[in-house]
Amino acid sequence: NFREKPAAPTIKGEYFEKAAIEKLLGQKGVVGIRYYYAMKNDTTPGIVIVGVDSLGNDMESGDIIDNGTPCPPFCSSPNELNKP
């Protein structure tokens, strides 16, 4: 969706559970992660995280994390990363 209608993200970040990240990193061949800005089906912005292999390629056929909790409205207590 985001590629079809790119827009400046209105979210500051998203929270992802440790278990989801560990599952992604635990896939065979994953050496790191990459994130992409996304647009959910309801047009709210989001982030997608995908594993990256040793050649720097996205492992798009593996697990992809796309169910984070957005900030705002669900942010940490105020800090340098999430202030207005």
Side-chain angles (χ1 to χ4, degrees):
N1 291 333
F2 187 80
R3 289 189 304 268
E4 292 174 15
K5 297 179 184 178
T10 57
I11 60 169
K12 296 176 183 179
E14 282 193 4
Y15 165 81
F16 296 93
E17 292 186 0
K18 179 180 177 180
I21 294 170
E22 286 178 337
K23 182 178 178 188
L24 188 137
L25 289 173
Q27 295 175 102
K28 183 177 179 179
V30 170
V31 299
I33 61 172
R34 180 171 289 119
Y35 74 90
Y36 291 97
Y37 294 112
M39 183 184 301
K40 299 178 183 184
N41 290 336
D42 66 0
T43 71
T44 58
I47 294 173
V48 172
I49 302 175
V50 62
V52 176
D53 67 18
S54 62
L55 299 175
N57 295 316
D58 296 337
M59 297 179 63
E60 60 185 310
S61 62
D63 289 329
I64 294 176
I65 305 172
D66 63 357
N67 60 348
T69 304
C71 166
F74 305 101
C75 298
S76 165
S77 44
N79 64 62
E80 289 297 314
L81 298 173
N82 67 15
K83 67 181 181 179

